[in-house]
Amino acid sequence: ISMRFGGTFRVDAGEGDLNLVVHQLDASGEVVGTDQVSVHATTTYREFSGELTLDARAETARFQLYLLSPATFRADEMFLVPSC
């Protein structure tokens, strides 16, 4: 199954970078897939999104944000939906 994931991001001041990562976990909590999108945020909310293929073993999807800049980030409207 093809899925689209993402969200809207901004920083309080200046600019900042982060990686939006979706880990796919099996029933035992082991990672069976990982996909990511690079985010370059400014002071205005902007959507960032990516595509992934759902692994047949996946039972849980976990969003993780890996901050790459010393900024205060804001995230909103996070989603994981089937691709059209």
Side-chain angles (χ1 to χ4, degrees), residues 5 9 16-23 34-41 48 63-69 73 78:
F5 68 96
F9 299 88
D17 296 303
L18 64 83
N19 288 328
L20 167 59
V21 177
V22 176
H23 294 294
T34 298
D35 296 275
Q36 77 174 30
V37 171
S38 297
V39 172
H40 180 76
F48 294 85
F63 282 95
Q64 286 195 216
L65 304 177
Y66 294 93
L67 307 181
L68 305 173
S69 300
F73 288 89
M78 305 295 288

Side-chain angles (χ1 to χ4, degrees), residues 23-51:
H23 294 294
Q24 298 179 49
L25 308 175
D26 68 11
S28 66
E30 295 297 316
V31 175
V32 295
T34 298
D35 296 275
Q36 77 174 30
V37 171
S38 297
V39 172
H40 180 76
T42 63
T43 56
T44 303
Y45 274 107
R46 191 172 113 208
E47 182 178 299
F48 294 85
S49 65
E51 298 277 333

